[in-house]
Amino acid sequence: MHINTTPADFVAWFRSVAPYINSFRGKTFVIAFGGEMVEDGKFTALTHDFNLLAALGIRLVLVHGARPQIEQHSARKNLEDNYHQGIRLTDTQTMQCVKESVGRVRVEIEALLSMGLANSPMANADIRLAGGNFITAQPIGVINGVDLQHTGCVRKVDVAALKNRLNFGEVVLLSPLGYSPTGEVFNLTLEDVATSTAIALDADKLVFLMDTDGVQSDHGDTLKELTVAQAQAALASKRVQSDDINLFLPCAIRACEAGVARTHLISRHTDGAVLQELFSDDGIGTMVVESTLNTLRDASIEDVGGILQLLRPLEEQGILVRRSRELLEQEIERFVVLEHDHRIVGCAALYPFPDEAAAELACLAVDAQCRDKGYGEAILDHMAVLAKSQKLKKLFVLTTRTAHWFLERGFIESPVTALPAQKKSLYNYQRKSKVFVRKI
């Protein structure tokens, strides 16, 4: 715990990550990082994060690159780096450099992942690494008259063998090399190995560590979440992005279209980037998903616990009237919930008064960590449409602390007499809630 962190802050933080810890257990994550991570000495910190993920029961497949090491080795042998349409041309001499460089990088990674230093996150670590000929490759061949020789692409991933190692609790480490049935070795790209493996394993997450923070907006802000359609639009716009984004974003799109649930593009320069991205709502990079993570739906009895979690803090502050679990269960058909990535982050209830063509909007609540994202407004708009579909003419709310929020959204402060007769008879004059009404 940081020296300036209070016990209360620590408890709040730990509770906030608990849902992720629970949902990630047993899931498969493919994490890809370039040889730069090893070259600049930052891989030690990353090993600590990998150890933590493995300790939480996450099935890890790590894919490493070796580009800077290959380039340095080639330079020492006075070999020229040849690229054709952005793809390395791997002749016989270069292939020898590739094999030697990849081998050295892999040994160094294995050594760092084997550390068990006292007073470090790796203390008593028991990471068992697995490797092997899991990737079958084929030559890319001739492109526009240029033979790329030993440069290849993934042809097949041995899913059964990989799952066997993961089922034994081992962390799989894949190198950017592939083998053919005829015994040839091919130089592959990190992104091809990682993407193909994630697709073949039907991974829950694919993570790329890169030099930039993620996809940038026109204003220079990192876009936290993109659907596949939005990511494709960003690429089609030809807006200037980093080389890494132009390389990895198409891989993210390909993975999500093929069934990988989430792909994350994050900066390798941020300490704890993997943990910050995976264990917080906002993350620190860009997450690409097949479609939006938000689902607004009718509540069911299974949602009672999640709704209570949202309502209790507001009830304790006196913002909402306390409801018992029993009452909530009885009235659950009145509620809708907003889910973000399968976690309830918002709710509201609608109580119609058809004789007076009105409906009360009650229990509108949004998780404190998810405010300022438009979730409350989305729920309000949904409830207005729902009320309108029931031939109702106006919505009203009773509130003590959120008057301005409703005023900003078209509600008008009204006297208690504006309430439907049944609601007016139950009005609590001691609580003195203000009444706001909006025509729909």
Side-chain angles (χ1 to χ4, degrees):
M1 185 166 59
H2 193 278
I3 191 169
N4 294 324
T5 302
T6 66
D9 290 337
F10 174 76
V11 170
W13 166 82
F14 201 83
R15 286 172 176 165
S16 72
V17 302
Y20 296 101
I21 293 173
N22 183 55
S23 65
F24 288 166
R25 187 175 296 110
K27 298 298 175 61
T28 301
F29 293 1
V30 177
I31 303 178
F33 52 92
E36 296 85 357
M37 292 292 298
V38 180
E39 181 74 14
D40 61 18
K42 292 184 178 179
F43 188 71
T44 300
L46 190 58
T47 62
H48 298 164
D49 297 344
F50 290 156
N51 176 53
L52 178 57
L53 295 177
L56 294 175
I58 294 169
R59 296 151 59 93
L60 280 182
V61 178
L62 308 179
V63 184
H64 76 86
R67 181 169 297 171
Q69 291 85 355
I70 294 169
E71 291 174 349
Q72 291 169 18
H73 195 28
S74 297
R76 286 194 295 270
K77 291 196 171 185
N78 296 316
L79 299 176
E80 185 178 348
D81 282 322
N82 292 316
Y83 287 86
H84 177 65
Q85 296 186 359
I87 304 171
R88 182 190 293 276
L89 191 159
T90 312
D91 58 23
T92 301
Q93 287 181 300
T94 302
M95 190 66 220
Q96 187 60 37
C97 291
V98 169
K99 289 190 284 188
E100 293 175 7
S101 300
V102 168
R104 280 200 296 270
V105 172
R106 185 181 181 93
V107 167
E108 190 167 349
I109 291 172
E110 289 176 345
L112 291 170
L113 284 170
S114 300
M115 288 191 306
L117 298 176
N119 301 318
S120 82
M122 296 294 286
N124 302 314
D126 187 26
I127 291 182
R128 289 175 293 161
L129 277 176
N133 56 341
F134 301 117
I135 305 297
T136 300
Q138 62 188 21
I140 288 181
V142 179
I143 297 180
N144 293 335
V146 177
D147 186 354
L148 296 176
Q149 300 184 45
H150 298 286
T151 299
C153 58
V154 176
R155 176 181 175 186
K156 182 182 177 184
V157 178
D158 192 340
V159 174
L162 278 173
K163 287 186 175 180
N164 188 43
R165 303 328 312 160
L166 293 171
N167 289 341
F168 273 107
E170 296 178 350
V171 173
V172 176
L173 178 62
L174 298 180
S175 298
L177 294 175
Y179 310 92
S180 74
T182 58
E184 294 176 273
V185 183
F186 291 99
N187 178 26
L188 309 178
T189 63
L190 154 78
E191 57 273 14
D192 185 23
V193 174
T195 305
S196 298
T197 301
I199 292 171
L201 288 175
D202 194 22
D204 299 280
K205 288 186 181 292
L206 169 61
V207 181
F208 287 112
L209 286 153
M210 2 171 264
D211 280 324
T212 52
D213 292 331
V215 182
Q216 304 297 304
S217 71
D218 291 331
H219 305 293
D221 302 318
T222 299
L223 297 171
K224 298 296 185 182
E225 182 184 312
L226 291 174
T227 63
V228 164
Q230 290 169 333
Q232 289 170 331
L235 286 174
S237 70
K238 304 297 183 183
R239 188 162 44 83
V240 177
Q241 293 282 353
S242 70
D243 290 340
D244 272 3
I245 293 300
N246 290 326
L247 178 66
F248 292 120
L249 189 56
C251 296
I253 293 170
R254 175 188 160 202
C256 288
E257 286 183 326
V260 176
R262 315 274 184 267
T263 300
H264 302 260
L265 309 179
I266 59 177
S267 172
R268 68 182 181 89
H269 300 291
T270 303
D271 185 32
V274 172
L275 301 183
Q276 292 186 59
E277 175 70 10
L278 300 182
F279 291 90
S280 65
D281 284 332
D282 285 337
I284 61 165
T286 298
M287 176 170 63
V288 181
V289 298
E290 174 63 29
S291 58
T292 180
L293 294 179
N294 294 335
T295 303
L296 194 53
R297 59 172 177 79
D298 293 339
S300 67
I301 198 70
E302 289 80 15
D303 299 318
V304 169
I307 294 173
L308 283 172
Q309 258 189 326
L310 286 177
L311 300 183
R312 283 294 178 256
L314 300 175
E315 292 172 352
E316 290 167 2
Q317 296 171 46
I319 297 174
L320 294 178
V321 176
R322 182 173 288 275
R323 276 175 168 75
S324 66
R325 175 180 283 271
E326 292 75 17
L327 180 60
L328 191 55
E329 289 175 352
Q330 292 171 13
E331 298 182 343
I332 194 66
E333 75 279 357
R334 303 287 188 194
F335 280 78
V336 298
V337 293
L338 176 66
E339 285 186 321
H340 179 78
D341 201 10
H342 306 295
R343 185 169 73 88
I344 294 176
V345 296
C347 69
L350 192 72
Y351 294 87
F353 295 85
D355 291 344
E356 300 182 58
E360 179 185 9
L361 175 65
C363 298
L364 178 57
V366 175
D367 188 297
Q369 295 181 339
C370 301
R371 287 170 192 164
D372 301 322
K373 293 186 177 181
Y375 290 171
E377 195 154 14
I379 296 172
L380 171 60
D381 291 344
H382 176 81
M383 298 308 251
V385 171
L386 183 60
K388 200 169 183 179
S389 70
Q390 298 176 23
K391 311 296 184 187
L392 305 178
K393 303 295 185 183
K394 62 182 180 180
L395 276 181
F396 68 88
V397 295
L398 281 77
T399 181
T400 58
R401 305 273 287 278
T402 55
H404 280 205
W405 192 89
F406 287 104
L407 285 171
E408 290 164 6
R409 285 153 184 83
F411 284 78
I412 298 172
E413 186 171 357
S414 306
V416 175
T417 53
L419 293 174
Q422 184 182 351
K423 186 67 181 180
K424 187 164 49 180
S425 67
L426 299 172
Y427 181 80
N428 187 336
Y429 284 91
Q430 288 185 322
R431 184 172 168 81
K432 294 184 178 178
S433 298
K434 292 187 175 180
V435 177
F436 293 89
V437 179
R438 189 178 92 175
K439 292 182 180 179
I440 53 176

